[in-house]
Amino acid sequence: MAEFTARQVVVIAAVAGALVGGLVAGGVAVAVSGNSTSTASSAGGSSQVATASVVRTTLTTPVQVGGSIGYDGSYAIANLRGGGGVYTWLPKPGQVIKQDQPLYSVSNEPVPLLYGSLPAYRAFDAGMSDSADVGELTRDLIALGYGAGLTQSNHYSSATAAAVQRWQRALGLQATGEIPLGEVVFEPGPIRVTSVTPSPGAPTGGGAVLTATSTTPIVVVDLDVSEEYLVKPGDAVSVVLPDGTSTVGGRIETVGTVATCPGGGGVGNGTSSAGESPCSSAGSNSNAAPTVTVTITLDSAPPEATLDLAPVNVNITTQQVDNVLAVPVNALLALQGGGFGVDVVTGNSVHLVGVTTGLYSNTLVQVSGAGITTGTQVEVPSS
């Protein structure tokens, strides 16, 4: 390894923190030599160095906050068929149910899930009034391949009845062309079962059957109100998953407008004593800061095992600069007269160049200076 006289004293990370306001984790060397140019020495020395290239890149400064990952939405599904049968099949918590798959079975007859935002509230049959519930049934029948001769509309026509008959035959049901209330359930999309109330063999009598969420993963963060200014809907974030190493991108979906205290208490009326938490003054018996709820949608679905309200960390970008030159933080030399420099390596010689620093990221720092361009080689500690 080469030794250079400009790098006489290496200051550990604690000193670096003092020099740059605690923004960086790497060490900074202090240039104490009066020489601005030196030549590599092959003799063993006290300072071992390597080189790194100046790069042009995007730098960000993140703030990390804790949250939990789960699923969006909440649905409660009830049996509207009334009594006169028993539950012969029920799903298990965690099971995903998609379009045309049974939610549960009564007396061996499946009650399927169809997609629609309007819950079923009446029977489907000829002569019923036109409405959006007929339109969503029609849309499902066409999507499932039973819509021969059927056009999208809110009218229950003879073509609708014929399509219903084809659908009923495929499910093994009596092909009546009519659907009594309670024999189909509409939800906006596929669902994930969270709990089931009855047990197989239990008599039906109306009431709750199961609860569910959507299959869309979502992250929820209770963000300290002092950090609320850092985020707004649409901002990009990265989420560190429960395994501590995998990450997935996401975007801020909503930022709550009402601050709450732990336990759901109010945030006080702004008349708390000096040094007293607003939550304490609001009677929540907590010195914790009030928070707002932030929801985050993910760019891709992480593995199933990582969900179910597991803890995650969210990296929020507070500052960003694009298309800038950067060097490793530990390439910086703190100059005796103030400011920073880097040792630029050219062939077998090294010369100290003063630089202006900009944004610090975890490992890189924005720099500019005479002769500093993409690919310039600079000294860094070898380990």
Side-chain angles (χ1 to χ4, degrees), residues 84-108:
V86 298
Y87 292 104
T88 51
W89 179 84
L90 291 157
K92 295 180 180 180
Q95 185 169 341
V96 173
I97 299 173
K98 300 179 180 180
Q99 186 181 37
D100 208 30
Q101 293 180 340
L103 288 161
Y104 58 92
S105 292
V106 174
S107 301
N108 285 329

Short mmCIF file of all heavy atoms in Angstrom, two decimals, residues 84-108:
data_model
loop_
_atom_site.label_atom_id
_atom_site.label_comp_id
_atom_site.label_asym_id
_atom_site.label_seq_id
_atom_site.Cartn_x
_atom_site.Cartn_y
_atom_site.Cartn_z
N GLY A 84 -82.15 -22.41 7.78
CA GLY A 84 -82.55 -23.49 6.91
C GLY A 84 -81.42 -24.27 6.30
O GLY A 84 -81.63 -25.03 5.36
N GLY A 85 -80.22 -24.15 6.81
CA GLY A 85 -79.10 -24.92 6.29
C GLY A 85 -77.96 -24.93 7.29
O GLY A 85 -78.06 -24.39 8.39
N VAL A 86 -76.87 -25.59 6.91
CA VAL A 86 -75.68 -25.63 7.76
C VAL A 86 -74.47 -25.26 6.91
O VAL A 86 -74.47 -25.43 5.69
CB VAL A 86 -75.46 -27.03 8.40
CG1 VAL A 86 -76.63 -27.40 9.29
CG2 VAL A 86 -75.24 -28.07 7.32
N TYR A 87 -73.45 -24.75 7.59
CA TYR A 87 -72.21 -24.43 6.89
C TYR A 87 -71.45 -25.73 6.64
O TYR A 87 -71.14 -26.47 7.56
CB TYR A 87 -71.35 -23.49 7.74
CG TYR A 87 -71.93 -22.11 7.89
CD1 TYR A 87 -72.55 -21.71 9.07
CD2 TYR A 87 -71.88 -21.19 6.84
CE1 TYR A 87 -73.08 -20.44 9.22
CE2 TYR A 87 -72.42 -19.92 6.97
CZ TYR A 87 -73.02 -19.56 8.17
OH TYR A 87 -73.56 -18.30 8.30
N THR A 88 -71.21 -26.00 5.37
CA THR A 88 -70.50 -27.24 5.02
C THR A 88 -69.04 -26.99 4.61
O THR A 88 -68.25 -27.93 4.56
CB THR A 88 -71.22 -27.96 3.87
OG1 THR A 88 -71.47 -27.04 2.80
CG2 THR A 88 -72.54 -28.54 4.36
N TRP A 89 -68.71 -25.75 4.31
CA TRP A 89 -67.30 -25.40 4.03
C TRP A 89 -67.08 -23.94 4.39
O TRP A 89 -67.92 -23.07 4.10
CB TRP A 89 -66.94 -25.61 2.57
CG TRP A 89 -65.50 -25.23 2.29
CD1 TRP A 89 -64.40 -26.00 2.46
CD2 TRP A 89 -65.05 -23.96 1.81
NE1 TRP A 89 -63.27 -25.28 2.14
CE2 TRP A 89 -63.63 -24.04 1.74
CE3 TRP A 89 -65.68 -22.77 1.47
CZ2 TRP A 89 -62.85 -22.97 1.31
CZ3 TRP A 89 -64.90 -21.69 1.05
CH2 TRP A 89 -63.50 -21.81 0.97
N LEU A 90 -65.94 -23.68 5.03
CA LEU A 90 -65.54 -22.32 5.39
C LEU A 90 -64.06 -22.15 5.12
O LEU A 90 -63.29 -23.11 5.26
CB LEU A 90 -65.84 -22.04 6.87
CG LEU A 90 -67.32 -21.96 7.24
CD1 LEU A 90 -67.53 -22.24 8.71
CD2 LEU A 90 -67.88 -20.59 6.88
N PRO A 91 -63.64 -20.97 4.74
CA PRO A 91 -62.21 -20.75 4.47
C PRO A 91 -61.42 -20.64 5.77
O PRO A 91 -62.00 -20.57 6.87
CB PRO A 91 -62.19 -19.42 3.71
CG PRO A 91 -63.37 -18.69 4.27
CD PRO A 91 -64.42 -19.74 4.53
N LYS A 92 -60.11 -20.61 5.65
CA LYS A 92 -59.23 -20.45 6.80
C LYS A 92 -58.61 -19.05 6.78
O LYS A 92 -58.42 -18.46 5.72
CB LYS A 92 -58.12 -21.50 6.78
CG LYS A 92 -58.63 -22.92 6.94
CD LYS A 92 -57.48 -23.91 6.93
CE LYS A 92 -57.99 -25.34 7.10
NZ LYS A 92 -56.89 -26.33 7.08
N PRO A 93 -58.32 -18.50 7.96
CA PRO A 93 -57.65 -17.19 7.99
C PRO A 93 -56.36 -17.22 7.17
O PRO A 93 -55.60 -18.18 7.21
CB PRO A 93 -57.36 -16.99 9.48
CG PRO A 93 -58.44 -17.75 10.17
CD PRO A 93 -58.65 -18.98 9.32
N GLY A 94 -56.16 -16.17 6.42
CA GLY A 94 -54.99 -16.08 5.54
C GLY A 94 -55.28 -16.52 4.12
O GLY A 94 -54.49 -16.24 3.22
N GLN A 95 -56.40 -17.20 3.90
CA GLN A 95 -56.72 -17.68 2.55
C GLN A 95 -57.16 -16.52 1.66
O GLN A 95 -57.90 -15.63 2.08
CB GLN A 95 -57.84 -18.72 2.64
CG GLN A 95 -58.19 -19.37 1.31
CD GLN A 95 -59.10 -20.57 1.49
OE1 GLN A 95 -59.21 -21.13 2.59
NE2 GLN A 95 -59.77 -20.97 0.43
N VAL A 96 -56.68 -16.52 0.43
CA VAL A 96 -57.04 -15.51 -0.56
C VAL A 96 -58.15 -16.07 -1.44
O VAL A 96 -58.04 -17.18 -1.97
CB VAL A 96 -55.83 -15.09 -1.41
CG1 VAL A 96 -56.26 -14.17 -2.55
CG2 VAL A 96 -54.79 -14.41 -0.53
N ILE A 97 -59.22 -15.29 -1.60
CA ILE A 97 -60.37 -15.71 -2.41
C ILE A 97 -60.54 -14.71 -3.54
O ILE A 97 -60.58 -13.49 -3.32
CB ILE A 97 -61.64 -15.78 -1.54
CG1 ILE A 97 -61.44 -16.80 -0.42
CG2 ILE A 97 -62.85 -16.14 -2.40
CD1 ILE A 97 -62.57 -16.84 0.58
N LYS A 98 -60.63 -15.24 -4.75
CA LYS A 98 -60.71 -14.41 -5.95
C LYS A 98 -62.07 -14.55 -6.62
O LYS A 98 -62.93 -15.30 -6.17
CB LYS A 98 -59.59 -14.79 -6.92
CG LYS A 98 -58.19 -14.62 -6.33
CD LYS A 98 -57.11 -15.04 -7.32
CE LYS A 98 -55.73 -14.87 -6.72
NZ LYS A 98 -54.67 -15.29 -7.67
N GLN A 99 -62.23 -13.81 -7.70
CA GLN A 99 -63.50 -13.76 -8.42
C GLN A 99 -64.00 -15.16 -8.78
O GLN A 99 -63.26 -16.00 -9.29
CB GLN A 99 -63.32 -12.94 -9.70
CG GLN A 99 -64.60 -12.69 -10.49
CD GLN A 99 -64.32 -11.89 -11.75
OE1 GLN A 99 -63.29 -12.08 -12.40
NE2 GLN A 99 -65.23 -10.99 -12.10
N ASP A 100 -65.27 -15.42 -8.46
CA ASP A 100 -65.98 -16.66 -8.76
C ASP A 100 -65.57 -17.83 -7.88
O ASP A 100 -66.05 -18.95 -8.08
CB ASP A 100 -65.84 -17.04 -10.24
CG ASP A 100 -67.04 -17.84 -10.75
OD1 ASP A 100 -68.16 -17.62 -10.23
OD2 ASP A 100 -66.86 -18.68 -11.66
N GLN A 101 -64.71 -17.61 -6.91
CA GLN A 101 -64.38 -18.66 -5.95
C GLN A 101 -65.32 -18.58 -4.76
O GLN A 101 -65.80 -17.50 -4.40
CB GLN A 101 -62.93 -18.53 -5.49
CG GLN A 101 -61.92 -18.79 -6.60
CD GLN A 101 -60.48 -18.66 -6.11
OE1 GLN A 101 -60.21 -18.03 -5.07
NE2 GLN A 101 -59.55 -19.22 -6.85
N PRO A 102 -65.60 -19.71 -4.10
CA PRO A 102 -66.56 -19.68 -2.99
C PRO A 102 -65.98 -19.00 -1.75
O PRO A 102 -64.82 -19.21 -1.39
CB PRO A 102 -66.85 -21.16 -2.72
CG PRO A 102 -65.65 -21.88 -3.24
CD PRO A 102 -65.15 -21.09 -4.41
N LEU A 103 -66.81 -18.18 -1.12
CA LEU A 103 -66.47 -17.60 0.17
C LEU A 103 -66.78 -18.58 1.29
O LEU A 103 -66.06 -18.65 2.29
CB LEU A 103 -67.25 -16.31 0.39
CG LEU A 103 -66.82 -15.11 -0.44
CD1 LEU A 103 -67.92 -14.07 -0.50
CD2 LEU A 103 -65.55 -14.52 0.14
N TYR A 104 -67.85 -19.30 1.15
CA TYR A 104 -68.27 -20.35 2.07
C TYR A 104 -69.35 -21.16 1.37
O TYR A 104 -69.83 -20.79 0.29
CB TYR A 104 -68.77 -19.78 3.40
CG TYR A 104 -69.93 -18.82 3.27
CD1 TYR A 104 -71.26 -19.25 3.36
CD2 TYR A 104 -69.71 -17.45 3.09
CE1 TYR A 104 -72.31 -18.36 3.25
CE2 TYR A 104 -70.77 -16.56 2.98
CZ TYR A 104 -72.06 -17.02 3.06
OH TYR A 104 -73.11 -16.14 2.94
N SER A 105 -69.72 -22.29 1.94
CA SER A 105 -70.77 -23.13 1.36
C SER A 105 -71.83 -23.40 2.41
O SER A 105 -71.52 -23.62 3.59
CB SER A 105 -70.19 -24.46 0.85
OG SER A 105 -69.34 -24.24 -0.26
N VAL A 106 -73.08 -23.39 1.96
CA VAL A 106 -74.22 -23.72 2.81
C VAL A 106 -74.92 -24.93 2.20
O VAL A 106 -75.34 -24.89 1.05
CB VAL A 106 -75.19 -22.54 2.94
CG1 VAL A 106 -76.45 -22.96 3.71
CG2 VAL A 106 -74.51 -21.36 3.61
N SER A 107 -74.99 -26.01 2.98
CA SER A 107 -75.61 -27.25 2.49
C SER A 107 -75.03 -27.67 1.15
O SER A 107 -75.76 -28.04 0.21
CB SER A 107 -77.14 -27.10 2.41
OG SER A 107 -77.67 -26.77 3.68
N ASN A 108 -73.70 -27.57 1.05
CA ASN A 108 -72.94 -27.96 -0.14
C ASN A 108 -73.18 -27.06 -1.35
O ASN A 108 -72.80 -27.41 -2.47
CB ASN A 108 -73.19 -29.42 -0.52
CG ASN A 108 -72.47 -30.36 0.42
OD1 ASN A 108 -71.40 -30.04 0.94
ND2 ASN A 108 -73.06 -31.54 0.63
#
